Amino acid sequence: IRQKHVISCRKLRNALELKGRKMMMRLLTIVALLASRAAGFTSPAFVTQAARAGSSMGMSAVAEAPSGQELKIRNIAVIAHVDHGKTTLVDALIRQSGVFRDDAQANEAGERVMDNEDQEKERGITILAKNLAVMRDGYKINIMDTPGHADFGGEVERVLNMCDGVLLVVDSVEGPKPQTRFVLDKALQKGMKALVVVNKIDRPSARPEYVVDKVFDLFCELGATDEQTDFKVVYASGLQGTAGEEPDNLDKDLGPLFDAVIEGIDAPTVEKPEPENLQALISNIDFDAFKGKMGIARITNGVVKAGQAVALAHPDKPKRTGRLNNLFVFDNLGKKEVDQAEAGEIIMFSGLDNVEIGDTLVTNENAGANAADPLPPIAVETPTVRMTIGVNKSPLAG
C-alpha cells in the first residue's frame, strides 16, 4: 500500500508540474503577442499559436488566426501490439466515413478490408502497411494501418516518416506490450504526438484505469516530453464501432475519435511551399501490372505536378533523373489521379522505375539548378535476432 501511495503521489506531482508549465507557456505566449501588436509587428504563425493558447485557456481577447493558415489534412499511423484491434478499428473508421455506397457494398467487402493480401487473409494478421484516406467535417485524414508483429517492425518505421501523429491502440485488458513499447519509442523519437485509444473497452474484464496508468508510465520511461506525456485518451470498441471520452459513456459511433484526431493531431508543417523546393521522401513502394514500379511519399516541401521533370536524390547515390507519368493521392480505399499535389499530402507516382525507399523526389526543371537537397534517408533499426552456427555435436547427428 505504501508503494502504491508513493507512485500515486509521484504521478500527481508530475501532472501538476506539467499543467503548471503548460499554463505558464500559454500566458507568456499571449503576453508576447499583445506586446508585438503594440509594437506593430504580427506574424501569422505566431498569431495562430497565440490564438490556440488563448482559446485553450478560455480567453477571447486574443484574435483568431487568419483563415487558410492551417492545412485541413491529418496524417496519422495506427500503431499497436499484435491483436490489440488496429485493423478492426480502422475498418470501423472506414465504414463510418461514407466509403461504402450502402450496406450491401459494405457486406460484400467483408471484415478487415485492409488485410487484402493472401497471406494476411489466411493468417488473420497485418503484414504490410496500407494507406487509405477518409473525409470528416471537411478534413482529409490519411490513415496508415501498420502491422503489429515484431517481425514487420521495419514497415512501421518507414510509415512513420509520412505521419504527423499516431493513434496508439492499447488493449483494455492487456495494456502495453513489448511491440507497443517499440513502436511508441519510434514515434516519440520523431517528436510526434500520440492519441491513446483504449480499445476493446466492451470486454467484461476491461480495466481502463490500470491501462492508462501503464501507458503513462511507458511514456515516462521512454523519455517523452511534457507535451507528449499530456496525451488525450479515447475509449473505443472497434468491433461495435463506438467511442467516447469516458469508459462508461460511449457514443453510438466513432465521432469522438474523429474529433480527437482533428483536434489533437497537428496539421502538416510546411516550411517552403514554393514549387522549386520540392522534397518528398520515398517511404514505400508498390507495383502495378500496367504502370510498373510506383513510389509512395509524403511531400515535405514544394509542389509536384504530373508530367514534371524530376530527379531521385540520395546522399550516397548519384542523382537519377526522369519524368513523372501518373500522379495519385489516396482517396478512400483506392487512389485518385490528380494534376498536382502540394506539401503535406501523401502521393503515389509512376514513371520512375529505379525508385527506391529512402530516395528524395526533387525537381529537375532547369536541369535541377534550383533543386533542393535530399532529405535524410530512412534508417530502419537492425534486426535483434542473433544466431550461432556450429558443428552438430548431437549423438543423433548424421
Side-chain angles (χ1 to χ4, degrees):
I1 297 175
R2 183 173 181 272
Q3 184 180 4
K4 288 185 178 180
H5 179 68
V6 171
I7 294 175
S8 300
C9 289
R10 187 183 299 119
K11 289 182 179 179
L12 179 61
R13 183 192 64 193
N14 292 339
L16 291 175
E17 290 178 354
L18 175 63
K19 293 296 182 184
R21 284 194 292 270
K22 291 174 70 68
M23 189 72 70
M24 183 60 67
M25 288 299 297
R26 289 168 180 164
L27 284 172
L28 291 175
T29 303
I30 294 170
V31 171
L33 173 65
L34 295 176
S36 66
R37 281 185 176 174
F41 169 77
T42 56
S43 168
F46 188 71
V47 171
T48 302
Q49 182 180 0
R52 289 177 178 173
S55 63
S56 63
M57 295 179 64
M59 299 180 64
S60 58
V62 180
E64 293 184 358
S67 60
Q69 293 295 326
E70 183 185 49
L71 294 176
K72 288 197 170 185
I73 298 177
R74 297 294 183 270
N75 299 319
I76 60 171
V78 185
I79 59 175
H81 187 76
V82 60
D83 287 338
H84 278 200
K86 296 183 306 302
T87 305
T88 303
L89 183 65
V90 172
D91 263 13
L93 291 172
I94 294 172
R95 295 175 187 277
Q96 296 186 20
S97 301
V99 173
F100 298 115
R101 181 176 59 253
D102 49 28
D103 292 340
Q105 188 181 29
N107 294 333
E108 183 180 354
E111 298 180 356
R112 295 195 307 274
V113 181
M114 300 304 295
D115 291 343
N116 49 21
E117 299 291 332
D118 292 339
Q119 285 291 322
E120 293 176 328
K121 293 178 180 178
E122 180 180 343
R123 300 175 183 271
I125 61 174
T126 303
I127 298 176
L128 300 176
K130 315 289 194 318
N131 292 68
L132 71 141
V134 297
M135 296 296 298
R136 181 76 177 193
D137 298 333
Y139 286 82
K140 181 179 182 180
I141 305 177
N142 285 309
I143 304 175
M144 280 135 276
D145 186 23
T146 65
H149 286 74
D151 298 337
F152 315 119
E155 289 281 319
V156 182
E157 293 186 70
R158 290 197 298 269
V159 162
L160 289 178
N161 289 277
M162 297 189 287
C163 303
D164 298 294
V166 296
L167 261 64
L168 181 67
V169 181
V170 187
D171 190 285
S172 63
V173 178
E174 295 182 355
K177 303 296 282 184
Q179 191 67 4
T180 310
R181 183 187 188 95
F182 174 80
V183 294
L184 177 61
D185 185 31
K186 297 302 178 183
L188 295 178
Q189 289 178 13
K190 293 181 178 295
M192 296 181 181
K193 289 182 181 178
L195 172 61
V196 176
V197 181
V198 180
N199 196 25
K200 303 182 182 181
I201 197 64
D202 54 321
R203 296 180 63 177
S205 54
R207 41 181 184 173
E209 294 182 359
Y210 166 83
V211 170
V212 173
D213 284 345
K214 287 297 182 181
V215 172
F216 180 84
D217 292 342
L218 181 59
F219 271 77
C220 295
E221 292 173 10
L222 296 177
T225 64
D226 292 345
E227 188 177 13
Q228 291 172 326
T229 308
D230 190 22
F231 53 82
K232 183 176 181 60
V233 180
V234 176
Y235 304 90
S237 170
L239 196 61
Q240 296 182 355
T242 57
E245 296 184 357
E246 298 295 334
D248 54 354
N249 186 22
L250 302 183
D251 285 13
K252 295 181 179 180
D253 55 19
L254 294 173
L257 180 55
F258 279 111
D259 295 339
V261 169
I262 295 173
E263 297 171 5
I265 302 298
D266 294 333
T269 302
V270 181
E271 297 179 357
K272 302 175 182 179
E274 297 79 12
E276 62 270 15
N277 293 317
L278 172 63
Q279 288 178 311
L281 183 64
I282 313 300
S283 299
N284 212 341
I285 55 176
D286 200 356
F287 183 81
D288 185 271
F290 299 99
K291 297 179 177 63
K293 200 172 184 181
M294 306 180 70
I296 302 175
R298 180 255 180 87
I299 306 176
T300 303
N301 291 306
V303 178
V304 63
K305 299 179 180 180
Q308 179 178 345
V310 295
L312 296 172
H314 193 283
D316 303 324
K317 300 177 184 178
K319 185 178 290 188
R320 292 148 289 160
T321 61
R323 188 175 294 273
L324 296 185
N325 287 341
N326 305 96
L327 180 64
F328 303 92
V329 296
F330 290 94
D331 181 47
N332 294 335
L333 295 175
K335 52 187 183 290
K336 177 177 65 175
E337 188 166 3
V338 294
D339 294 329
Q340 75 171 32
E342 300 178 352
E345 185 62 272
I346 297 176
I347 61 170
M348 177 184 286
F349 60 88
S350 65
L352 303 175
D353 292 335
N354 52 358
V355 61
E356 298 290 345
I357 293 176
D359 293 338
T360 301
L361 188 70
V362 298
T363 183
N364 195 43
E365 295 179 342
N366 298 324
N370 300 321
D373 295 328
L375 296 170
I378 297 175
V380 177
E381 187 168 313
T382 56
T384 57
V385 177
R386 178 178 298 176
M387 299 179 62
T388 301
I389 301 176
V391 177
N392 187 353
K393 300 178 181 179
S394 170
L396 303 177

